[in-house]
Amino acid sequence: MAPSVADVLPTTSELKEKADLKLNKAFDSVQHAAYKYARYLPVYDETTTFPPTEPFEFSDKGLLADKAKPHLLGLNDPNVVVTKLTPRVGTEISGLQLSELTDEQKNELALLIAERGVVVFRGQNFKDIGVEKQKEFGQYFGRLHVHPVGAHVEGAIEFHNIYLGPDNLYRAQRRSEKLTTTGYHSDVSYEHQPPGITLLTLLAVPSTGGDTAWTSQVAAYERLSEPIQTLLEGLRAEHSGFPQAENARRDGKFVRREPVKSHHPIVRVHPVTGQKALFVNPGFTKKIIGLKAEESDALLQLLFKHISQSADVQVRVKWDDQTVSLWDNRVTAHTAISDYDVHNEEEGLRHGFRITTLAERPVGVNGLETVW
């Protein structure tokens, strides 16, 4: 039976809510008039604000997985191809649709991501299944994070918009005065319960370039000498969201949640694998608690250089518009590589969206916890 008019039309309160909502488009509508994924173009909700994230209970789906992963990796299907991209980080899977995974397969995927750092799925229909199913998929792995300052998808503020094209150069602006466009980070690591799994899919990709690179923070930790490992295991570092918020305000952007700082253990222990991983990054880590400024700067610069330059514990992934990558922020740092000509219409649009799930309060060696 067809729905009644009352079921179809928005209520008065819904209409008022939409009227009160101020959305600032961050793209050229004319340029994208025929764009298939215009629904996902970047906007800024300049009305909605959020309180600080409250502590919450989190249980990693990887804890429910069969460690042998028979439902994900043991399908005996010749169409499913699983490849290790490098010995220490990165696995690629083709012939298996994320949108069709069972809960058992999702649990095993969570474990695989924890073990391999990043898992890259090729030939995916994920971008075409609609916002609600995309959101539902992400929510399976944890509470969805709302970025405090970034652009998002209209009607899905949890979808952080990744957009760099000739009509919006904001993502490139801050790096134009530096020698490199790369900037290794772990997503919003300043949160008190920072992210676990992040999913990224690109809807439009440059004809060449625009790759993403990941560093294994587990392998990076293991490469350190034992005295340095022991020293770091007893220390916390400050991760701050304040510079990000201050830069956004200076650039006229809306801050929807006030910034926070967290003092995270420098070496954290993954709740599923038990592996130790470095948990500092050049993007958000500002100082080591309890050390003199010179000591802190020297140690952090050593670690940042190690994370950024150790190509033998990194993987670089080339995108296409049917690729979805999922990574564990607790054991990796990553960077986009903006090496393409953004002013060239054929080469210069990189657009997608990121779904990020929050995880546990970090715990380090001997129970050293995050404080704030």
Side-chain angles (χ1 to χ4, degrees), residues 70-248:
H71 306 95
L72 188 70
L73 303 183
L75 297 176
N76 294 318
D77 183 342
N79 295 314
V80 178
V81 179
V82 181
T83 307
K84 283 188 175 181
L85 295 174
T86 76
R88 292 308 307 270
V89 58
T91 293
E92 182 177 284
I93 298 177
S94 59
L96 196 61
Q97 288 293 339
L98 282 169
S99 60
E100 298 172 5
L101 295 186
T102 65
D103 287 355
E104 283 180 319
Q105 289 175 312
K106 291 175 189 173
N107 296 340
E108 293 176 6
L109 175 58
L111 176 57
L112 181 64
I113 296 169
E115 292 174 343
R116 297 292 299 160
V118 56
V119 180
V120 180
F121 282 81
R122 303 293 191 181
Q124 297 298 298
N125 64 6
F126 188 82
K127 64 180 182 178
D128 295 314
I129 64 175
V131 166
E132 290 309 314
K133 288 184 178 179
Q134 291 160 347
K135 189 182 297 187
E136 182 181 333
F137 183 89
Q139 287 172 330
Y140 184 82
F141 298 99
R143 180 180 297 188
L144 300 190
H145 180 257
V146 175
H147 199 282
V149 300
H152 57 90
V153 171
E154 184 173 354
I157 201 167
E158 307 94 337
F159 289 18
H160 181 54
N161 221 302
I162 307 298
Y163 187 95
L164 179 57
D167 57 332
N168 185 338
L169 301 174
Y170 184 66
R171 292 180 69 87
Q173 176 182 319
R174 301 219 36 85
R175 297 175 182 174
S176 61
E177 298 177 353
K178 296 188 176 182
L179 290 173
T180 178
T181 64
T182 58
Y184 277 89
H185 62 284
S186 174
D187 290 333
V188 295
S189 64
Y190 48 74
E191 297 287 6
H192 301 329
Q193 290 184 231
I197 290 174
T198 289
L199 175 154
L200 174 61
T201 184
L202 294 187
L203 309 171
V205 297
S207 57
T208 183
D211 301 352
T212 301
W214 285 265
T215 295
S216 169
Q217 295 273 53
V218 174
Y221 163 80
E222 292 173 355
R223 291 287 177 87
L224 298 172
S225 64
E226 188 174 337
I228 295 295
Q229 289 178 344
T230 302
L231 171 64
L232 297 178
E233 287 173 0
L235 296 172
R236 296 184 179 95
E238 178 184 284
H239 296 235
S240 177
F242 279 81
Q244 185 182 72
E246 290 162 5
N247 289 338

Side-chain angles (χ1 to χ4, degrees), residues 35 37 40-41 127 134 201-205 320-321 351-353:
Y35 183 39
Y37 297 100
Y40 291 88
L41 285 167
K127 64 180 182 178
Q134 291 160 347
T201 184
L202 294 187
L203 309 171
V205 297
D320 60 40
D321 61 2
H351 175 222
F353 62 89

Side-chain angles (χ1 to χ4, degrees), residues 322-344:
Q322 295 182 355
T323 292
V324 180
S325 294
L326 303 97
W327 65 91
D328 193 327
N329 289 281
R330 297 167 290 187
V331 295
T332 60
H334 66 279
T335 181
I337 301 171
S338 302
D339 54 352
Y340 51 94
D341 183 359
V342 72
H343 299 287
N344 183 328

